[in-house]
Amino acid sequence: MPLQGESVPANEPSLIELYHTMLDMRHFEEACLEGVPTREIHGELHTGIGQEAVAAGIAPWLRGDDALVSTHRNHLHGLAKKVDPYRLMAEIFEKDTGLCRGRGGHMHPFDPEKRFSATGIVGSSLPVALGFAYAAQLEKTDAVAVAVIGDGASNTGAFHESLNMAAAWKLPLLVVVEHNSYAISVRFSEVSATPTVAERAPAYRMWARHVDGTDVEAVSEAAAEAFAHVRGGSGPAMLEATCFRFRGHYEGDHDTYRPRDERKRMLVENDPLTLAEKRLTELGLASEEEMARWREASRTRAREMLARVRSDPLPPASELHRFSFAGI
Amino acid sequence: MPLQGESVPANEPSLIELYHTMLDMRHFEEACLEGVPTREIHGELHTGIGQEAVAAGIAPWLRGDDALVSTHRNHLHGLAKKVDPYRLMAEIFEKDTGLCRGRGGHMHPFDPEKRFSATGIVGSSLPVALGFAYAAQLEKTDAVAVAVIGDGASNTGAFHESLNMAAAWKLPLLVVVEHNSYAISVRFSEVSATPTVAERAPAYRMWARHVDGTDVEAVSEAAAEAFAHVRGGSGPAMLEATCFRFRGHYEGDHDTYRPRDERKRMLVENDPLTLAEKRLTELGLASEEEMARWREASRTRAREMLARVRSDPLPPASELHRFSFAGI
Amino acid sequence: MNSTPVRNLRFSQVIGEAISLEMEADEKVLLLGEDIGRSGGVFGVTRQLQARFGEARVRDTPISEMAFTGMGVGLAMAGYRPVVEIMFVDFIGVCLEQVMNAMSKIPYMSGGNTRVPMVLRTAGGCIGSAAQHSQCLWGLFAHLPGMAVVCPSSPHDYKGLMAASIQSDDPVVFIENKRQLNKLVSSYPLDAFVPEERYTVPLGKAKVVREGSDLTLVTISASVGDALVAASRLEGEGVSVEVVDLRTLVPLDIATVATSVSKTGRLLVVDEDFLSFGMSGEIIARTLEELGTAAVRQVKRHAMPDIPLPASIALEQAAVPSADSIADVIRSMS
Amino acid sequence: MNSTPVRNLRFSQVIGEAISLEMEADEKVLLLGEDIGRSGGVFGVTRQLQARFGEARVRDTPISEMAFTGMGVGLAMAGYRPVVEIMFVDFIGVCLEQVMNAMSKIPYMSGGNTRVPMVLRTAGGCIGSAAQHSQCLWGLFAHLPGMAVVCPSSPHDYKGLMAASIQSDDPVVFIENKRQLNKLVSSYPLDAFVPEERYTVPLGKAKVVREGSDLTLVTISASVGDALVAASRLEGEGVSVEVVDLRTLVPLDIATVATSVSKTGRLLVVDEDFLSFGMSGEIIARTLEELGTAAVRQVKRHAMPDIPLPASIALEQAAVPSADSIADVIRSMS
Ligand SMILES: Cc1ncc(C[n+]2csc(CCOP(=O)(O)OP(=O)(O)O)c2C)c(N)n1
Ligand SMILES: Cc1ncc(C[n+]2csc(CCOP(=O)(O)OP(=O)(O)O)c2C)c(N)n1
Ligand SMILES: [Mg+2]
Ligand SMILES: [Mg+2]
C-alpha cells in the first residue's frame, strides 16, 4: 500500500513485476482475439494491445477499496483491478460463467466486489467514478475513485462537468487519460484546442501530470505520485499517458486512416513490452532466455484459460428476462 | 462599424449613448414586470434588471450580420441586437403580434432578420452559436457569433464542448459571460473549481478578459477588444462581466438564499445606471435635471409601448397547430 | 374515508415529508440537485432538509446534470440510495445518457450482480412556461427498459409512492406534476388525507378512484384530478364514468384497466404527455391484447397534441387536457 | 419490376450516393460527425465524400455530440442544410437536448419565422453489440414533437428517403439499420434496383410491399425484410400475409394501414424497437381509432422485449424479432 502524502512510496514495484503484468495483459488480449473470427465474440471487440504499460503502471497502486470505472477498452483495467481473469474472459466470450452471466459482454463488465465497472459510452466513466469519489469522501476513507478515459473522451461535456465538480468539492478522483492520439479515426490534434489533455487541468485547479505511457516504470512512478496526491485528500488529479493503439479501433476496423508507416513504426518503436525487455536486458535483470520462458509461460496460462472459457455454456435463452429488475 | 484588428476602434460610443441604451433597457424590463401580477405573462419571467451594463456595453459593437444566441434572461440582448422592442415585448406578452406570434414567449424569442435567438436551457446557447460561427467561417466574412451565458452555464458540458471546438477550428465565436455569482440560489463559488470563468480560457488557448460588468464604459472598451480579436480571425474569445441580478431569479422567486444586506447593498452600490449617472455628473456631461428628463422620456416610451402591446390580440386558439411543420 | 382532519399542506410538502422520513430511517439516502439545499428547491419540496440532514446529504450541485446524475449511479453502486433531482423533466436531454445507458441498464448488464437503487426525481406538467419547460415525458422513460416510472396523483400517493421509490432496489423515475406542487392537498377532488407516519404505496398497482359503468377513463398524474372533476359533472348528465389512476407506467397494472374495460366496454385514455407513441397508445394496445377487440366497443384518446407547447395562454389552454376538455370528449363519445 | 440490372452496392453506399447527389445539387448541404471524413464513416456511408467535397463540407468532429448537434441547428438557422451524424442512436442521450428542445421545437416556437432544415442521421439495430449499442429508439423520437422520423427498409427507399430528408424544410431524424448497412442490396428480398440518378421518395407515405388477405403485418426498417421472408414461408402454409412498410413514423400514414386492416381484419405489428410505449402500441391505437374495434378481429405485437439487449448471442437471438420468430407469431395467431 502506498504511503499517504509521499510522492515516492516505499514499495515501488520492480520492473520484473511490471513486465509480468504486461505480459499477462498482452496474452489475455491475444486470447480474446481468437474469439472474433469464430464469432464466439460476436460484437465489435476493442483491445488494449500496445497500451499495456498504462494499466500495468497504475495496477500496483490500486487498492481493493479503490473503485475503477473504465471505457469500451476496459480489459486491461479490469486485470489491473484484480478482477478474476477467467471470469472476465468468460464474460467477453458471452458465457453464462462470465462476470455478468453473458449479459454485459466485453464492453460492460461489472465486478462489484473488486469495485470495477465500465461503460461503452465515451466520457461516461467519469460521472460514475465521481459517485464513488463522493462515497469515499462521505465515508472519510482514503479510497480513490479512478476514471479511465481516452483522449477522445476529454472533449466530451461529461469530462468538464465531472472535473469541475471533483475539483470544487475536492473529491478523491483520479482521471487516467490513455492518450493514443486517436478517437477511432479522428486525430486528437485536429479537433482539440490543446495538444495535451493535462494542460487543461488549471481550468479545474487540479494536479496533473503527463507521462510517456509506453514506459511502464515512468507510468508507475507518476501513478504513485498521483495516487498519493488524491489519497492525501488534496482533491482530484489527472494522469495523462501517451501511448499507441496497435490494432484497429475494434477488430474489423480496416484502420485506413493511419498512414501505413506510422503503424509500422509504432509496432517497432513503441511496444511497451519490447521497451521493458530492452531495459531489463540493459539493467542485467533478465536474460533473453529467461524472458522467452516468461513469455511462454504467460501465453500458456492465457491459452489454458481460453480453452476453459470455450468449454463453458452460453446463458440459456429461457433466462432472457432474468436480472432486469430486482427479484426477477 | 468597428475597425478590424484594432484594439480601440474609432467610434467608441459616448457614455451618454451608453446611458441612454441602459435607460431604455431598464424601462423595457420594468414595463414587462407589469404583466406578471396581471398574468398577461403567465409563465415565470426572468429580467435583466441590474445587468444592463453588459448588454449595453456590447451593443455598439454588434453588427447586423453578427448572430447572437441568448439565454432564459435574454431581453436585453435582444435589444442590444436591435430587435424591434415592440415586437419583442409583444412576444413576451404572448401576443399574436409578437416576434413569434405568441408561440415562443419570453424565453424563446426568434428574430431571424436580426440574427437573434435564445433558449431556455442553460448552456444551450453555445452550440447553436457555434453553428453561426461555422457559417461565418465558411462564408469567409468577418461576422461574429455571440453566445451569451450566465456563470452557471459555464459548468455545463455544452460549454466545454463548444469552446473546445471553437478553439480547435478557430471559429469566430465570442462568449459573453454574465457573471452575477448565482445560478438561481447556488453560488458560483460553491460549485466551481475556479473563482472566475475567464481563467478557464487557457484550457482552450483562447483570448479572454474579465471586466467589471457594472461599469458600462469598461464593458464597452473590453467588448471592442473582444470583437476586434474575433473579427480579426484569431479564433474565439471570452468576455466575462461581473454583475448583479437585482430581482429574484424569476418573478415570484422569494430570493431567500441571498442575505438581505447583500441584496440591499447591491441595489445601492452596484446599480450600473446610478454608477453611470455619477460618472456623467463627475465628468460634467449631464446635469441631474437633464438626466431626470432623459429617464422620464425613456419611461414614457416604454409605457406607451406597453399600452400598445396590451391592446394587441392573443393568437387565436384555432391556430394551435400552425407552424409546427413547414407548410402547416 | 378517514376521520382525521386533512393537514394544511402543499403537495410539495408531502413529498418532502416522505423524503425526510426515508432519510431518517436510512442514512444511505442522500439528495443531489440544483437548488435543493439552501433554497429548498424551486418548488419547495426539499425545504428544511439541508438544515436537518446536513450539506453532505442534501447537496446543491452546479448545472452539470450529466455529472451529478452519473454521480447518483456511482453512489448507488457504492451502496447509497441517491435521490437525484432534475429540476424540470424537459432538461433530461442533457443527461439522458446516464439515465438510459447506466442507471437503468446496469442491473441487467451486470447479470444482477449490481443493483442501482436510485430515484430520479423530476417535475413535469404545464404551468405556462412554454415549449422547453412544460413537458411530461413519462412516455419517453417508459419506452426505455429498466426503470420504474412513477407519476402520482393523490396526496396520499405522492407520499407513499415516493417512500416506495426510495426503498425500491430498482432505478425509479419519479415525475411530480408542476400543476400540483404548489397547491394545497385539500384542493384534490378526492380524499386528501396524508398520514404523518411513514408508509408506502406499492409500485405497479393501479387504483380505481371512481367507480362507474358507462366508460373507463384511464389516466395518470394531475389529470386524475381533472378526470374526477369531469366525471362528477357528467354524472349529472347521466353518464357514469369509472376513473382508473395508473400511478405507475412501469410496472404497468393492465389487469386493473382490463377488468374495468371488460365491465364498461369503452376506454378513454387521457394523457398530459404527448399524444403519439406514448402512454395512450400503449394502454389501448395492451387492453385489447388482454380482452380481445370484441370485448371493447370504443377506444379514444385525449392527450397533449404533438406540438411544442406554445407560450401564449390562449394556445396553451387549447392544448392541455383539462376537466372541461375531458368532459367534452366524453360527451362526444356518448 | 425493372429490367435494369441491380448494381453491386451495399446499403451504406446507397445512402452515400443519395447524400453525394444532394451535395452536388445544393452547396448548402454539409456533413458533421465523428469519423465521417477521413475514414468515411464506421459503416462506410460517407466514404469518398470528404475527398470530393472538401473538409469544410464533410467535417470530422470531436466526441462532442451536444456541441456539433447544436452546431447543426445554428447552421440550419444560418441557411445551411446540415446532415449531422450521431454514430449509434444509443448515444443520443448525450445530446438529446439539442434534438428535442432546439432542432425540433424552434420551427414552432419561432411562430414559423425560422426553419431548421437539418437531418440527424444515425444508426440503430442489433448486431451483437449489447445494451449500449443495439437500440433502435425510433419510438423515442416519434414521441417528441416537431421532427420527421424516417426509417427506410428497401434499397430504393434508403436513397429516395435520404434525398427527401435533406430536401425537407423540416427537421428529420433518419435512422439507418446496422443489420443492413454492410449488406449488399441484392440481399433484400424484394426488388433491389436503385436508380443512379437523383430522386426522392416522399416522407409520410407507407407502402404495401406484399399483398395478402389473412393478416396485415405492419413494420418498419430492417424488419420489413424479415417480414417478407416470413410471409413467403407462410404462403406455403396457406396463410396470406399483407406486409405494410411504414417507412416514416412521423408523418404517419395510418390510412394505408387502416385500408389494409379493413380488408384482412387482423393486425400484427413487428418492431425491432422496444415493445412498450412505442410504435407498436401507437399503430394499434390509431388503427382502431380509424376503423373502430368492431372492424378488427385480432391485434398482436411482436417487438424487442423491454430489457436492455444482452451481449450473448444466445440471448440476443431470443430477443430480436427475426423471420423465424415472426413466422412463429403469425402461426400462433392463425
Ligand atoms: C458518446 C459517444 N460517442 C461516440 C461513441 C463511439 N465511439 C466509441 S469509442 C470512440 C473513440 C474513443 O476515443 P478515445 O476516447 O480516445 O478512446 P480510444 O478508443 O482511443 O481508447 C467513439 C467515437 C461512443 N461510444 N459514445
Ligand atoms: C440544463 C438546465 N438545467 C437547469 C435549468 C434551470 N435553470 C434555469 S436558469 C438557471 C440558472 C442559470 O444560472 P446562470 O447561468 O448563472 O444564469 P442567470 O440566471 O444567473 O442569469 C437554472 C438552474 C435549465 N433551464 N437548464
Ligand atoms: Mg484515443
Ligand atoms: Mg448567474
Side-chain angles (χ1 to χ4, degrees):
Chain A
M1 299 292 101
L3 301 177
Q4 281 186 33
E6 305 250 325
S7 63
V8 181
N11 59 346
E12 190 83 39
S14 73
L15 178 56
I16 294 185
E17 284 164 346
L18 294 169
Y19 177 64
H20 276 293
T21 307
M22 291 202 293
L23 271 184
D24 287 350
M25 288 175 166
R26 174 72 54 94
H27 293 125
F28 182 94
E29 292 290 49
E30 285 182 353
C32 288
L33 289 181
E34 306 222 1
V36 176
T38 59
R39 286 182 61 77
E40 290 162 293
I41 300 170
H42 85 297
E44 73 271 27
L45 179 77
H46 315 93
T47 76
I49 295 177
Q51 305 188 172
E52 292 86 354
V54 186
I58 62 167
W61 313 108
L62 277 165
R63 288 196 330 218
D65 61 345
D66 292 342
L68 188 150
V69 188
S70 180
T71 67
H72 55 288
R73 200 178 302 290
N74 57 58
H75 308 169
L76 305 190
H77 314 129
L79 297 178
K81 198 65 184 65
K82 300 201 175 46
V83 171
D84 177 357
Y86 155 67
R87 294 196 62 212
L88 179 58
M89 193 184 285
E91 188 58 36
I92 295 167
F93 277 71
E94 313 175 3
K95 301 292 189 160
D96 203 31
T97 51
L99 281 175
C100 309
R101 312 273 314 249
R103 268 75 177 169
H106 94 275
M107 249 191 303
H108 319 102
F110 292 85
D111 185 339
E113 270 146 50
K114 301 294 179 182
R115 311 197 111 204
F116 171 71
S117 65
T119 173
I121 308 296
V122 174
S124 284
S125 55
L126 285 153
V128 176
L130 206 61
F132 281 102
Y134 195 59
Q137 189 180 69
L138 286 171
E139 289 154 21
K140 300 190 171 56
T141 71
D142 64 349
V144 170
V146 180
V148 182
I149 61 169
D151 49 294
S154 73
N155 291 331
T156 65
F159 173 88
H160 176 66
E161 294 188 359
S162 302
L163 266 57
N164 178 62
M165 284 181 75
W169 297 355
K170 280 206 162 207
L171 300 182
L173 176 75
L174 171 59
V175 181
V176 175
V177 185
E178 294 186 322
H179 188 142
N180 59 16
S181 303
Y182 283 90
I184 310 188
S185 71
V186 180
R187 288 196 197 124
F188 187 73
S189 59
E190 289 175 349
V191 294
S192 305
T194 55
T196 69
V197 181
E199 71 195 274
R200 298 179 182 176
Y204 312 103
R205 297 204 172 178
M206 76 193 273
W207 187 99
R209 198 158 144 195
H210 187 280
V211 72
D212 175 356
T214 64
D215 179 344
V216 70
E217 286 176 300
V219 175
S220 172
E221 272 164 39
E225 271 193 69
F227 274 94
H229 172 91
V230 179
R231 267 197 226 296
S234 313
M238 190 192 312
L239 179 62
E240 179 179 19
T242 325
C243 56
F244 297 82
R245 150 165 75 71
F246 279 10
R247 302 189 60 87
H249 174 72
Y250 60 94
E251 294 308 308
D253 175 7
H254 300 302
D255 200 348
T256 51
Y257 43 83
R258 289 196 287 191
R260 188 176 263 243
D261 59 322
E262 176 182 330
R263 275 191 283 158
K264 262 201 186 149
R265 198 167 0 101
M266 102 189 148
L267 296 179
V268 178
E269 295 174 13
N270 306 114
D271 186 333
L273 274 74
T274 317
L275 292 169
E277 285 160 9
K278 229 173 110 185
R279 194 145 155 76
L280 284 169
T281 310
E282 275 167 23
L283 296 172
L285 291 172
S287 68
E288 277 298 337
E289 258 177 17
E290 251 172 327
M291 292 191 293
R293 246 186 294 120
W294 293 343
R295 280 196 296 270
E296 197 41 44
S298 170
R299 180 177 299 116
T300 304
R301 278 196 302 278
R303 297 204 58 82
E304 281 168 4
M305 204 189 306
L306 174 63
R308 189 174 155 210
V309 162
R310 283 185 147 158
S311 70
D312 283 345
L314 291 172
S318 60
E319 295 194 353
L320 175 63
H321 289 260
R322 205 169 154 202
F323 309 124
S324 56
F325 284 102
I328 296 182
Chain B
M1 299 292 102
L3 301 179
Q4 281 186 33
E6 305 249 326
S7 64
V8 180
N11 57 344
E12 190 82 37
S14 73
L15 179 57
I16 294 185
E17 284 163 347
L18 294 169
Y19 177 64
H20 276 292
T21 307
M22 291 202 293
L23 272 184
D24 286 350
M25 288 176 166
R26 173 73 53 95
H27 293 125
F28 182 94
E29 293 289 49
E30 285 181 353
C32 288
L33 289 181
E34 306 221 0
V36 176
T38 60
R39 287 183 58 78
E40 289 162 293
I41 301 170
H42 85 297
E44 73 273 25
L45 179 77
H46 315 93
T47 76
I49 294 177
Q51 307 188 170
E52 293 86 354
V54 186
I58 63 166
W61 313 107
L62 277 165
R63 288 196 328 219
D65 61 344
D66 292 342
L68 189 150
V69 188
S70 179
T71 67
H72 56 287
R73 200 178 302 288
N74 58 57
H75 308 169
L76 305 190
H77 314 128
L79 297 176
K81 198 68 186 64
K82 303 204 173 41
V83 170
D84 176 359
Y86 155 67
R87 294 199 59 213
L88 179 59
M89 192 183 283
E91 187 58 36
I92 296 166
F93 277 72
E94 312 175 5
K95 300 292 188 159
D96 203 31
T97 51
L99 282 175
C100 309
R101 313 276 309 253
R103 268 78 178 168
H106 94 274
M107 247 191 302
H108 319 102
F110 292 85
D111 186 338
E113 270 147 53
K114 301 294 181 187
R115 310 198 109 204
F116 170 72
S117 65
T119 173
I121 308 296
V122 174
S124 284
S125 56
L126 285 153
V128 176
L130 205 61
F132 282 102
Y134 195 59
Q137 190 181 66
L138 286 172
E139 290 154 20
K140 300 188 169 55
T141 71
D142 64 347
V144 170
V146 180
V148 182
I149 62 169
D151 49 294
S154 72
N155 291 331
T156 65
F159 172 87
H160 176 65
E161 294 189 359
S162 302
L163 266 57
N164 178 63
M165 283 181 76
W169 298 354
K170 280 205 161 207
L171 300 182
L173 176 75
L174 172 59
V175 181
V176 175
V177 185
E178 296 186 321
H179 189 142
N180 60 15
S181 303
Y182 283 90
I184 310 188
S185 71
V186 179
R187 288 196 197 126
F188 186 74
S189 58
E190 289 174 349
V191 293
S192 306
T194 55
T196 70
V197 181
E199 73 195 274
R200 297 178 183 178
Y204 311 102
R205 296 206 172 175
M206 75 192 273
W207 187 100
R209 204 164 136 186
H210 187 280
V211 72
D212 175 356
T214 64
D215 177 345
V216 70
E217 286 176 300
V219 174
S220 172
E221 273 163 39
E225 270 192 71
F227 273 94
H229 172 92
V230 179
R231 266 196 228 296
S234 314
M238 190 191 314
L239 179 62
E240 179 178 20
T242 326
C243 58
F244 298 83
R245 149 164 76 69
F246 280 9
R247 302 189 60 88
H249 173 73
Y250 60 94
E251 294 308 307
D253 173 8
H254 300 302
D255 201 349
T256 51
Y257 44 83
R258 289 196 287 193
R260 186 176 266 242
D261 58 321
E262 175 183 329
R263 276 190 283 161
K264 262 200 183 148
R265 196 165 4 100
M266 102 190 144
L267 296 178
V268 179
E269 296 174 13
N270 306 113
D271 188 333
L273 275 76
T274 318
L275 291 169
E277 285 160 8
K278 229 173 109 186
R279 191 140 158 78
L280 284 169
T281 311
E282 275 168 21
L283 295 172
L285 291 172
S287 69
E288 276 299 337
E289 261 177 13
E290 253 172 325
M291 293 191 290
R293 247 187 294 119
W294 293 342
R295 279 197 296 271
E296 199 41 43
S298 170
R299 180 177 296 114
T300 305
R301 278 196 303 277
R303 298 203 58 81
E304 282 167 3
M305 203 189 309
L306 175 64
R308 187 172 154 212
V309 162
R310 283 185 147 158
S311 69
D312 284 344
L314 291 172
S318 59
E319 295 192 353
L320 174 63
H321 288 261
R322 205 170 154 200
F323 309 123
S324 55
F325 285 101
I328 297 181
Chain C
M1 270 168 117
N2 200 302
S3 56
T4 325
V6 168
R7 290 184 286 156
N8 190 33
L9 292 173
R10 294 179 196 280
F11 280 82
S12 57
Q13 294 171 292
V14 168
I15 307 167
E17 185 171 284
I19 296 173
S20 174
L21 288 170
E22 295 311 307
M23 291 185 79
E24 272 169 20
D26 183 351
E27 62 173 22
K28 292 293 185 183
V29 178
L30 53 78
L31 317 185
L32 296 170
E34 292 153 18
D35 305 288
I36 63 167
R38 185 178 303 124
S39 93
V42 288
F43 299 104
V45 169
T46 52
R47 208 161 279 165
Q48 300 309 325
L49 295 185
Q50 189 177 69
R52 287 189 50 202
F53 297 102
E55 212 195 333
R57 288 181 71 193
V58 184
R59 191 92 194 219
D60 277 327
T61 63
I63 307 175
S64 307
E65 283 88 355
M66 184 76 87
F68 70 76
T69 303
M71 189 177 220
V73 175
L75 280 164
M77 292 169 77
Y80 290 81
R81 293 189 172 271
V83 179
V84 173
E85 176 178 315
I86 302 296
M87 193 186 290
F88 283 43
V89 72
D90 312 68
F91 310 155
I92 200 67
V94 303
C95 63
L96 185 64
E97 153 51 19
Q98 287 293 330
V99 178
M100 69 183 270
N101 284 326
M103 179 185 93
S104 62
K105 287 197 178 122
I106 288 174
Y108 185 87
M109 290 194 297
S110 71
N113 76 30
T114 304
R115 290 291 159 200
V116 183
M118 164 169 166
V119 179
L120 191 89
R121 276 187 56 227
T122 187
C126 301
I127 49 164
S129 307
Q132 297 181 334
H133 287 70
S134 298
Q135 297 164 96
C136 292
L137 300 186
W138 37 71
L140 182 149
F141 295 104
H143 181 57
L144 301 167
M147 56 196 138
V149 180
V150 181
C151 314
S153 154
S154 75
H156 184 270
D157 286 356
Y158 262 98
K159 181 167 174 185
L161 288 172
M162 175 54 83
S165 298
I166 296 174
Q167 290 175 36
S168 169
D169 287 335
D170 295 316
V172 176
V173 172
F174 189 97
I175 306 178
E176 301 157 18
N177 198 305
K178 299 196 287 290
R179 292 201 281 135
Q180 297 182 290
L181 288 174
N182 286 330
K183 283 200 192 142
L184 290 172
V185 296
S186 55
S187 67
Y188 193 69
L190 271 191
D191 182 31
F193 173 68
V194 180
E196 296 197 28
E197 67 275 12
R198 199 172 165 228
Y199 65 90
T200 59
V201 171
L203 308 185
K205 299 254 172 285
K207 189 176 178 183
V208 177
V209 290
R210 180 190 173 100
E211 300 203 352
S213 52
D214 294 333
L215 170 90
T216 300
L217 189 166
V218 175
T219 188
I220 200 161
S221 188
S223 296
V224 175
D226 303 323
L228 288 166
V229 172
S232 305
R233 279 196 220 150
L234 285 157
E235 187 163 36
E237 301 173 24
V239 184
S240 168
V241 179
E242 179 143 313
V243 179
V244 179
D245 177 359
L246 287 173
R247 287 168 157 174
T248 65
L249 287 189
V250 180
L252 181 63
D253 177 5
I254 201 66
T256 297
V257 174
T259 303
S260 174
V261 176
S262 67
K263 179 176 77 176
T264 63
R266 289 193 304 164
L267 171 62
L268 168 65
V269 185
V270 173
D271 192 3
E272 192 181 346
D273 192 6
F274 298 116
L275 172 70
S276 295
F277 299 89
M279 173 182 119
S280 59
E282 185 65 21
I283 300 301
I284 289 175
R286 288 232 196 179
T287 305
L288 289 160
E289 286 173 320
E290 289 286 312
L291 299 176
T293 52
V296 186
R297 286 202 310 284
Q298 195 180 6
V299 294
K300 181 129 190 120
R301 302 191 283 174
H302 178 46
M304 183 72 75
D306 298 322
I307 52 169
L309 200 79
S312 185
I313 196 163
L315 300 173
E316 183 188 290
Q317 285 173 348
V320 186
S322 63
D324 285 347
S325 70
I326 295 170
D328 284 345
V329 170
I330 297 175
R331 285 188 199 104
S332 79
M333 289 176 75
S334 306
Chain D
M1 269 165 123
N2 200 299
S3 56
T4 324
V6 169
R7 288 185 286 156
N8 190 34
L9 294 173
R10 294 177 196 281
F11 280 82
S12 56
Q13 293 171 292
V14 168
I15 306 167
E17 185 171 286
I19 296 173
S20 175
L21 288 170
E22 295 311 307
M23 291 185 79
E24 271 169 22
D26 184 349
E27 61 174 20
K28 293 293 186 183
V29 178
L30 53 78
L31 317 185
L32 296 171
E34 294 153 16
D35 304 289
I36 62 165
R38 186 178 304 123
S39 93
V42 289
F43 299 105
V45 169
T46 52
R47 207 161 279 165
Q48 301 307 329
L49 295 183
Q50 189 177 67
R52 288 190 50 202
F53 297 103
E55 213 196 330
R57 288 180 71 194
V58 184
R59 191 92 195 218
D60 277 326
T61 62
I63 308 174
S64 306
E65 283 88 353
M66 184 77 87
F68 70 77
T69 304
M71 188 177 222
V73 175
L75 280 164
M77 292 169 76
Y80 290 81
R81 292 189 174 271
V83 180
V84 173
E85 176 179 316
I86 301 297
M87 192 184 293
F88 284 42
V89 72
D90 311 69
F91 311 154
I92 200 65
V94 302
C95 63
L96 185 66
E97 152 52 18
Q98 288 293 330
V99 178
M100 69 182 270
N101 284 325
M103 180 185 91
S104 62
K105 288 197 177 123
I106 287 174
Y108 185 87
M109 291 195 298
S110 70
N113 76 30
T114 304
R115 291 290 159 200
V116 183
M118 165 169 165
V119 179
L120 191 89
R121 275 187 58 227
T122 187
C126 300
I127 48 162
S129 308
Q132 296 181 336
H133 286 71
S134 299
Q135 296 164 99
C136 292
L137 302 185
W138 38 70
L140 182 150
F141 295 103
H143 182 57
L144 300 167
M147 57 196 135
V149 180
V150 181
C151 314
S153 155
S154 75
H156 184 270
D157 286 357
Y158 261 99
K159 181 166 173 185
L161 288 171
M162 175 53 84
S165 297
I166 295 174
Q167 290 175 36
S168 169
D169 288 335
D170 294 317
V172 176
V173 173
F174 189 97
I175 305 179
E176 301 157 20
N177 198 305
K178 299 197 287 291
R179 292 201 281 136
Q180 298 182 288
L181 287 174
N182 286 329
K183 282 199 193 144
L184 290 172
V185 296
S186 54
S187 68
Y188 194 67
L190 269 191
D191 183 31
F193 174 68
V194 181
E196 295 198 27
E197 68 273 13
R198 200 170 164 229
Y199 66 89
T200 59
V201 170
L203 307 185
K205 299 257 173 287
K207 187 175 178 186
V208 177
V209 289
R210 181 192 173 100
E211 301 204 350
S213 53
D214 294 334
L215 170 88
T216 299
L217 190 167
V218 176
T219 187
I220 201 161
S221 189
S223 297
V224 175
D226 303 324
L228 287 166
V229 172
S232 305
R233 278 195 220 153
L234 285 157
E235 189 163 34
E237 301 173 23
V239 184
S240 168
V241 179
E242 178 144 314
V243 179
V244 179
D245 177 358
L246 288 172
R247 287 167 156 175
T248 66
L249 286 188
V250 181
L252 181 63
D253 177 6
I254 201 66
T256 296
V257 175
T259 304
S260 175
V261 176
S262 68
K263 181 176 75 173
T264 63
R266 290 193 305 166
L267 171 61
L268 167 65
V269 186
V270 173
D271 192 1
E272 193 181 346
D273 191 7
F274 298 116
L275 172 73
S276 296
F277 300 89
M279 174 182 120
S280 59
E282 184 65 21
I283 300 302
I284 290 175
R286 289 234 196 175
T287 305
L288 290 159
E289 285 172 322
E290 288 287 311
L291 299 177
T293 53
V296 185
R297 288 201 310 283
Q298 195 180 5
V299 296
K300 180 127 190 118
R301 302 190 283 175
H302 178 45
M304 184 71 76
D306 298 322
I307 52 168
L309 198 78
S312 187
I313 195 163
L315 300 172
E316 184 189 288
Q317 284 173 349
V320 187
S322 62
D324 285 346
S325 70
I326 294 170
D328 285 344
V329 169
I330 296 175
R331 287 190 197 104
S332 80
M333 291 175 75
S334 304

